[in-house]
Amino acid sequence: MTLLKQHLLTIVFALVCVGSMGTAVWAYLAGDGILEQMQKIESLRSQVQRKGSAPRNLAMIEAKEKEVEAGNADLKQRLEIVLTKQKQNAFYGQPRTTLVPNVLPELESNASAFAFKTSYQREFAELFKRLRARDKASLDEIKAQRAIMKNRRRGADLSLFTGFWMPDPPTEQRGNNDASGQDSTLQQALSEHPESRAAELAARECYMYVTKGAIKPHALLESSEAPSVIEIWQAQMALWIEQDIVAALSKLNEQRASKLEADGIEPWVVKMPVKHLKMLRLERWFGGGGGMNRGKFAASFTARRNDSKMFMIPIQMELVVEEASLMRVIDSLCGIGFYTPTRVQYKAVDANPFQTDYIYGNDPVVEIMIDMEGYYFREVFDEWIPKRLKKVLATPGAKEKKLSGRG
């Protein structure tokens, strides 16, 4: 933790500059300035031409023309890098499209709206499948383990039940059969503790935990009515953001799982870099509201606001991650799209000897809160933004009076 405390701020700001926005993004956001420089060069070329076309001036004219052409080519290449990345859906590695056609920017019919709702519910469930996630053991699962313990004491045949769980021994004791009496006592206690047993069985079913309600669907699923075009926009845009976040987190765990399987080791949450998603919040800046899981977002130091080129949505996450992988987690989140961390807070997670509720494994873990800004370029998303929201999304905070989520 000492090394982490000393270097976290430096590394995070390096990621802001290198991992997230990058040269291409700054080129896009500074496009007007670059074009102005190009125009100055073009003006100079014109001035040279007006001074005469004598042979002694031809070389200068040709050199300036080549300079302009090279500058235009470089700008075009940089903008293409920016836009190509945002046009791709990182979750599927395919071009970004709406869940169903004919719903954005104008809604064709109520039938299309209901088709979107059905598809949205299905795609939202895919987020959890991709993460291979679940929450901690339920009360019913704990009750089932209590019944097993009760039958065991009665001498019942337990052949239908799974074997009792034993936690991994401390690193210094692995391969040593002479474990201390204290550890043996703890292992015995855990094997006879229904809550610990249920927690372990739940942990072996997942790569990471996701607290119930941490990823929240749009409220359109709560209504029996056909969603409005604004609700569809909010739900679709939020889903794209959630897919980015899920793709970034699952990528790290999938890479670790592949390595473990190659070494003949069972992959499960205790061995993963990303242990737990406790909360994901999206600020209500989608136009007409939207967002999820309200919270207090960090003040921004970037001065980036909605304008004619892009709109910005603040994002906040609460995670439990392997301490050694913290920087990789931030890097993966920044690299999946155009996201800039504006605040990172963290604290050590205390050990839980009885390993109830959540099991994170033997290695040190930290709980972190990450605030980020997501930047979304209008050249990519304008084709889906409802007409009522085009001006709204060019204003700070996407605010407009008397604009509701329906209609």
Side-chain angles (χ1 to χ4, degrees):
M1 289 292 290
T2 302
L3 182 64
L4 196 60
K5 291 177 181 178
Q6 291 175 344
H7 299 288
L8 178 63
L9 192 59
T10 301
I11 298 174
V12 167
F13 275 94
L15 289 171
V16 170
C17 298
V18 179
S20 176
M21 295 301 290
T23 306
V25 183
W26 291 120
Y28 181 79
L29 296 178
D32 290 341
I34 293 174
L35 290 175
E36 183 179 350
Q37 294 177 17
M38 297 296 181
Q39 291 169 356
K40 289 180 179 179
I41 294 173
E42 181 64 22
S43 176
L44 177 61
R45 185 180 70 84
S46 298
Q47 292 176 26
V48 172
Q49 285 181 322
R50 285 196 297 270
K51 289 183 181 296
S53 57
R56 62 178 178 275
N57 293 324
L58 291 178
M60 182 182 295
I61 294 172
E62 292 175 354
K64 291 301 178 182
E65 286 181 339
K66 290 180 180 179
E67 186 177 343
V68 171
E69 291 174 359
N72 280 327
D74 180 64
L75 176 61
K76 183 178 180 180
Q77 183 179 18
R78 292 187 180 202
L79 295 184
E80 189 63 28
I81 292 172
V82 172
L83 298 176
T84 297
K85 188 163 191 175
Q86 195 135 78
K87 288 175 182 177
Q88 290 290 112
N89 185 328
F91 192 83
Y92 289 112
Q94 298 175 354
R96 198 182 297 279
T97 59
T98 56
L99 293 177
V100 296
N102 304 320
V103 291
L104 292 174
E106 296 181 5
L107 184 58
E108 184 179 75
S109 65
N110 278 352
S112 296
F114 281 115
F116 177 88
K117 181 187 285 190
T118 300
S119 182
Y120 174 73
Q121 187 170 28
R122 181 176 61 251
E123 285 298 311
F124 186 81
E126 290 296 319
L127 298 173
F128 300 88
K129 293 180 182 177
R130 176 69 173 270
L131 291 171
R132 299 197 184 190
R134 62 157 293 165
D135 200 0
K136 64 182 180 180
S138 66
L139 289 177
D140 286 341
E141 289 171 318
I142 294 173
K143 288 178 181 178
Q145 294 307 313
R146 286 175 181 162
I148 290 175
M149 297 295 99
K150 187 176 181 179
N151 287 333
R152 181 187 179 214
R153 287 193 295 270
R154 291 176 176 177
D157 180 9
L158 297 181
S159 60
L160 297 178
F161 301 119
T162 57
F164 295 111
W165 170 69
M166 294 294 183
D168 291 338
T171 304
E172 63 271 13
Q173 293 181 3
R174 293 174 190 172
N176 182 0
N177 294 325
D178 297 326
S180 67
Q182 182 179 358
D183 291 327
S184 298
T185 301
L186 176 59
Q187 290 182 2
Q188 182 61 29
L190 288 172
S191 70
E192 296 177 356
H193 191 229
E195 287 80 1
S196 300
R197 181 184 171 91
E200 186 270 346
L201 292 175
R204 288 191 180 274
E205 293 180 0
C206 66
Y207 282 6
M208 65 180 289
Y209 299 108
V210 175
T211 301
K212 184 178 180 180
I215 309 178
K216 190 176 180 180
H218 191 277
L220 64 80
L221 291 183
E222 300 172 4
S223 173
S224 60
E225 300 178 11
S228 69
V229 68
I230 292 179
E231 289 173 320
I232 290 174
W233 157 254
Q234 294 168 352
Q236 179 67 79
M237 189 65 216
L239 180 65
W240 279 330
I241 297 173
E242 291 158 8
Q243 287 176 330
D244 275 0
I245 301 300
V246 166
L249 297 178
S250 63
K251 176 183 176 182
L252 296 173
N253 283 352
E254 289 165 359
Q255 289 173 344
R256 178 70 62 83
S258 295
K259 184 177 180 181
L260 290 170
E261 289 174 339
D263 294 337
I265 301 173
E266 176 192 5
W268 58 304
V269 65
V270 301
K271 300 184 182 299
M272 294 296 157
V274 185
K275 311 285 187 183
H276 191 172
L277 174 59
K278 303 183 75 172
M279 187 59 65
L280 173 61
R281 299 183 179 94
L282 304 180
E283 182 63 289
R284 298 167 57 83
W285 289 7
F286 290 80
M292 69 156 84
N293 291 328
R294 292 188 180 184
K296 187 175 182 180
F297 294 81
S300 173
F301 62 84
T302 66
R304 287 290 170 194
R305 296 292 184 268
N306 293 354
D307 55 30
S308 61
K309 287 188 175 182
M310 71 165 198
F311 58 95
M312 183 267 284
I313 296 178
I315 302 166
Q316 187 179 84
M317 277 173 287
E318 296 177 26
L319 297 164
V320 176
V321 304
E322 190 179 67
E323 181 184 326
S325 298
L326 175 56
M327 295 303 105
R328 291 180 59 234
V329 171
I330 297 175
D331 188 36
S332 185
L333 289 168
C334 291
I336 205 70
F338 299 115
Y339 297 98
T340 295
T342 55
R343 178 178 64 180
V344 179
Q345 298 176 308
Y346 66 96
K347 63 180 180 181
V349 176
D350 295 333
N352 178 9
F354 280 96
Q355 308 211 47
T356 54
D357 291 338
Y358 300 103
I359 302 177
Y360 297 137
N362 297 318
D363 297 322
V365 295
V366 291
E367 181 177 340
I368 60 173
M369 178 182 286
I370 305 175
D371 280 272
M372 302 191 304
E373 292 177 348
Y375 307 108
Y376 308 98
F377 301 120
R378 296 292 292 260
E379 187 166 337
V380 175
F381 292 95
D382 251 10
E383 65 173 296
W384 300 303
I385 299 175
K387 185 177 180 180
R388 288 181 60 186
L389 298 182
K390 287 190 180 290
K391 289 185 178 179
V392 176
L393 285 172
T395 62
K399 294 180 180 179
E400 181 182 76
K401 294 181 180 180
K402 299 181 180 180
L403 181 62
S404 65
R406 300 198 62 80

